[in-house]
Amino acid sequence: MKTYSLFIIFLFYFLSLSFPCYAAEKCNPKDKKVLLKIKQDLGNPYHLASWNPDTDCCDWYVVDCDPKTNRINALTVFQANISGQIPAAVGDLPFLETLLFRHITNITGEIPSAIAKLTRLKTVRLSWTNLTGPVPSFFSKLKTLTYLDLSFNQLSGSIPPSLSLLPSLLALHLDRNRLTGTIPESFGAFTGSSPPDLFLSHNQLTGSVPKTLGNMNFTRIDLSRNKLEGDISFLFGKSKALQDADFSRNLFEFDITKLEFPESLSNLDWNHNKLTGNVPVGLTTLDNLQQFNVSYNRLCGQIPVGGNLQSFTYAEYFHNRCLCGAPLPAC
Ligand SMILES: *[C@@H]1O[C@H](CO)[C@@H](O)[C@H](O)[C@H]1NC(C)=O
Ligand SMILES: *[C@@H]1O[C@H](CO)[C@@H](O)[C@H](O)[C@H]1NC(C)=O
Ligand SMILES: *[C@@H]1O[C@H](CO)[C@@H](O)[C@H](O)[C@H]1NC(C)=O
Ligand SMILES: *[C@@H]1O[C@H](CO)[C@@H](O)[C@H](O)[C@H]1NC(C)=O
């Protein structure tokens, strides 16, 4: 009897070895094939070592499957030791909502046009890489896009005006590239309910900021370190939503004395421009103003007293034509 039950136990044991408990693979075979192509096109990097054809691709590193459809919906490659171009095969993951290649020094070449096929994309971050070529205008066809970040690359050419057609865009990061030309007029007509946070700093943009941008209610706008010129007073006013605004290191030239500002304003950087007039008295009523900088301009007169204006230091006011009063020396 004892040997009999031992025999049964061993029988089950050996059966379980030869027929392992088999969980059905969730991964869609088409997606798996595409991912293996991507891995191959990237030169089989160590970062993708878990992409083993014998395992379920829904369990692989840096990809996600949608829990309902089991289709690949995210590819997020971050800080990897990978060289080469973004494989065109990414365009064959039709359920992709998030596409991210970030902090990868040796990703070069242009942004592949195959991305235009990914009509479900919500988040695209191709940043801190070494991409070259233009900002593709096909992004304007990806209507569900909420977040487009192409910052910290070497993209050149001008900004595609059609990006304003993205109805759900919450943030547009084109900063730290080599973009030239002007800010498109169309950026005063974003079709969404509120305009995206706009980051265009550290490029080589020229010309005046289109007056149409005054029609938009921006919350965050960073145009710093370009070669933009002229008057941007239309971006300010009591009824705006402005919170963070960086216009530093440009060639803006207008009288700021009478500008008014919303209660919400918390950061305003105007350093290194050609602003004239005096520090606006309207700033003294802003309780939320945390950072302010008007150094290196052509301002003149006594700094208005009140609000947070005296809490900033000498370095936020110095190098003007004849600005005086605390925190600068008395007039
Ligand atoms: C980038 O590529 C260069 C030349 O091919 C190589 O020397 C360097 O180690 C690579 N760097 C990274 C972080 O992969
Ligand atoms: C681009 O490549 C250069 C030279 O290989 C490197 O120094 C730089 O850090 C790279 N840029 C980024 C954002 O990785
Ligand atoms: C801008 O947005 C703020 C805050 O949402 C709102 O109070 C204000 O009415 C808007 N102004 C305009 C001109 O649309
Ligand atoms: C204001 O701008 C000047 C000039 O660029 C800079 O030296 C100073 O550190 C800035 N202040 C702050 C608080 O960043």
Side-chain angles (χ1 to χ4, degrees):
M1 191 64 196
K2 203 172 169 194
T3 37
Y4 181 70
S5 50
L6 257 180
F7 171 76
I8 297 283
I9 288 167
F10 273 103
L11 186 69
F12 272 103
Y13 176 68
F14 282 111
L15 276 176
S16 71
L17 279 188
S18 40
F19 301 100
C21 175
Y22 186 76
E25 176 160 340
K26 283 185 285 173
C27 175
N28 181 288
K30 285 188 207 144
D31 288 348
K32 189 179 217 178
K33 204 172 156 206
V34 172
L35 290 173
L36 290 170
K37 172 88 166 77
I38 291 171
K39 180 179 179 182
Q40 187 186 23
D41 290 351
L42 289 171
N44 295 314
Y46 179 71
H47 198 74
L48 305 181
S50 73
W51 292 19
N52 174 349
D54 298 333
T55 58
D56 189 335
C57 77
C58 289
D59 298 332
W60 291 357
Y61 190 52
V62 306
V63 289
D64 286 314
C65 282
D66 180 289
K68 287 205 185 89
T69 61
N70 286 332
R71 299 301 300 255
I72 296 290
N73 65 2
L75 172 61
T76 56
V77 188
F78 182 72
Q79 273 184 344
N81 195 346
I82 287 178
S83 300
Q85 308 207 356
I86 296 176
V90 297
D92 299 323
L93 295 170
F95 288 76
L96 213 56
E97 292 175 12
T98 302
L99 174 63
L100 181 148
F101 280 83
R102 266 196 111 207
H103 286 276
I104 313 174
T105 309
N106 281 353
I107 288 285
T108 53
E110 299 199 358
I111 297 172
S113 57
I115 291 176
K117 293 189 277 182
L118 301 172
T119 53
R120 287 182 172 82
L121 278 175
K122 290 185 184 142
T123 300
V124 173
R125 301 192 78 174
L126 309 174
S127 66
W128 297 86
T129 45
N130 260 316
L131 294 167
T132 51
V135 174
S137 58
F138 68 69
F139 281 116
S140 64
K141 296 191 184 128
L142 307 178
K143 297 297 183 198
T144 52
L145 216 50
T146 57
Y147 196 91
L148 179 58
D149 177 6
L150 305 176
S151 64
F152 289 88
N153 280 298
Q154 297 180 36
L155 301 174
S156 55
S158 55
I159 300 174
S162 58
L163 292 179
S164 67
L165 299 172
L166 289 168
S168 311
L169 200 60
L170 299 178
L172 178 62
H173 284 265
L174 302 178
D175 47 306
R176 305 256 182 179
N177 277 293
R178 297 174 178 177
L179 302 176
T180 51
T182 55
I183 298 175
E185 291 264 340
S186 62
F187 277 24
F190 276 96
T191 53
S193 53
S194 58
D197 292 340
L198 194 58
F199 300 92
L200 304 179
S201 75
H202 290 80
N203 278 294
Q204 293 154 33
L205 301 173
T206 51
S208 343
V209 176
K211 277 221 166 55
T212 53
L213 268 70
N215 303 332
M216 293 283 100
N217 206 355
F218 290 103
T219 306
R220 267 163 228 102
I221 185 165
D222 184 356
L223 306 181
S224 64
R225 296 196 190 236
N226 279 290
K227 295 171 186 157
L228 297 164
E229 59 190 46
D231 186 344
I232 48 168
S233 49
F234 49 82
L235 293 175
F236 303 95
K238 270 199 187 316
S239 67
K240 299 280 190 182
L242 212 54
Q243 282 175 22
D244 299 303
D246 192 347
F247 302 106
S248 63
R249 295 188 188 252
N250 276 288
L251 307 165
F252 293 124
E253 188 171 6
F254 61 105
D255 187 330
I256 62 171
T257 315
K258 295 201 169 113
L259 289 185
E260 295 191 317
F261 306 89
E263 262 313 300
S264 54
L265 191 66
S266 105
N267 300 311
L268 177 59
D269 198 342
W270 265 326
N271 86 71
H272 283 93
N273 279 286
K274 300 174 176 180
L275 304 179
T276 57
N278 195 352
V279 174
V281 72
L283 291 168
T284 60
T285 62
L286 303 182
D287 296 334
N288 299 314
L289 194 64
Q290 302 296 316
Q291 287 179 38
F292 177 67
N293 202 334
V294 284
S295 62
Y296 290 88
N297 278 287
R298 296 174 180 175
L299 303 177
C300 198
Q302 172 152 21
I303 297 169
V305 177
N308 297 344
L309 288 186
Q310 276 63 45
S311 70
F312 305 115
T313 73
Y314 175 84
E316 282 81 71
Y317 293 101
F318 72 160
H319 271 276
N320 273 287
R321 193 162 278 165
C322 45
L323 213 50
C324 58
L328 296 180
C331 297

